């Protein structure tokens, strides 16, 4: 057992690929998969699902589930306050992995929408800046044509003067 732990401990430092980690099929390699997949929601969902299956198959599944669930909740808190609140509902990775996968998908969609909204706003600001540079329209006309508020256009104009 000690040899197995030493080998698994070296797994992380050895720089295994995702495929190699998946082939290891141990709870520890599953944790490393989750860490590696943390930036891609679909990969994270798959890694969490595989990790839950590995825990279910392990002889010490109750203890592993408790410890790994606690670790996973701390690891995923970086997703924000909404994610943290939803993670409080997760008591067992083995039992609640489907709920976690659904929550991850919801959070990912919200982040994509937020990104699109930020991109749209940046486009509106850029258009307003270009119209301000032309100097042909009033602030009200620029606000109306770009969809920005008059306050935002005025702020852009004052920022442009500096």
């Amino acid at each position: 057992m000690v040899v197995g732990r030493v080998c698994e401990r070296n797994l992380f430092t050895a720089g295994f690929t995702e495929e190699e980690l998946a082939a290891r099929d141990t709870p520890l390699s599953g944790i490393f998969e989750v860490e590696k997949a943390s930036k891609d929601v679909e990969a994270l969902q798959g890694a969490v699902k595989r990790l839950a299956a590995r825990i279910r198959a392990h002889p010490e599944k109750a203890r592993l589930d408790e410890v790994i669930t606690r670790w996973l909740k701390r690891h995923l808190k970086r997703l924000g306050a909404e994610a943290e609140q939803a993670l409080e509902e997760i008591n067992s990775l083995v039992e609640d992995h489907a709920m976690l996968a659904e929550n991850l998908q919801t959070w990912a969609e919200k982040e994509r929408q937020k990104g699109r909204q930020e991109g749209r706003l940046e486009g509106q600001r850029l258009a307003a800046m270009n119209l301000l540079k032309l100097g042909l329209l009033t602030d009200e006309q620029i606000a109306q044509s770009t969809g920005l508020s008059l306050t935002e256009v005025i702020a852009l104009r004052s920022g442009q003067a500096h």
Side-chain angles (χ1 to χ4, degrees):
M1 188 67 172
V2 174
V3 173
R5 286 187 182 149
V6 170
C7 289
E8 285 193 347
R9 207 173 298 130
N10 291 333
L11 184 68
F12 184 71
T13 58
F16 281 77
T17 66
E18 291 165 21
E19 294 78 20
E20 290 168 324
L21 285 173
R24 300 291 286 193
D25 203 28
T26 65
L28 184 58
S29 64
I31 288 172
F32 295 144
E33 275 189 271
V34 168
E35 284 185 340
K36 285 185 110 175
S38 290
K39 291 184 175 47
D40 175 11
V41 176
E42 287 181 23
L44 182 58
Q45 286 176 312
V48 167
K49 184 178 178 180
R50 287 187 297 279
L51 177 57
R54 290 171 182 161
I55 293 170
R56 269 194 303 277
H58 198 277
E60 297 177 37
K61 69 180 173 187
R63 178 71 179 133
L64 275 176
D65 187 30
E66 177 186 334
V67 171
I68 292 174
T69 299
R70 193 174 24 215
W71 168 82
L72 187 64
K73 288 167 80 168
R74 280 195 308 265
H75 181 70
L76 295 178
K77 282 184 179 182
R78 66 176 171 67
L79 294 173
E82 186 178 318
E84 191 171 340
Q85 184 178 4
L87 285 167
E88 290 301 318
E89 299 172 17
I90 307 290
N91 297 312
S92 162
L93 181 59
V94 171
E95 295 174 14
D96 301 332
H97 75 276
M99 181 192 332
L100 179 58
E102 185 177 314
N103 286 342
L104 287 171
Q105 188 60 43
T106 301
W107 299 324
E109 183 55 37
K110 285 182 180 179
E111 286 302 308
R112 281 192 285 274
Q113 287 175 354
K114 182 177 158 187
R116 284 191 292 266
Q117 188 175 18
E118 288 171 0
R120 209 173 305 122
L121 182 58
E122 188 58 36
Q124 290 170 310
R125 286 185 182 141
L126 184 59
M129 293 288 288
N130 288 333
L131 291 171
L132 286 167
K133 285 178 188 175
L134 289 174
L136 300 174
L137 301 175
T138 66
D139 290 351
E140 291 83 6
Q141 290 170 321
I142 293 172
Q144 187 178 18
S145 65
T146 61
L148 293 174
S149 70
L150 181 57
T151 306
E152 290 172 302
V153 174
I154 292 170
L156 287 173
R157 181 181 294 282
S158 66
Q160 189 180 47
H162 296 184

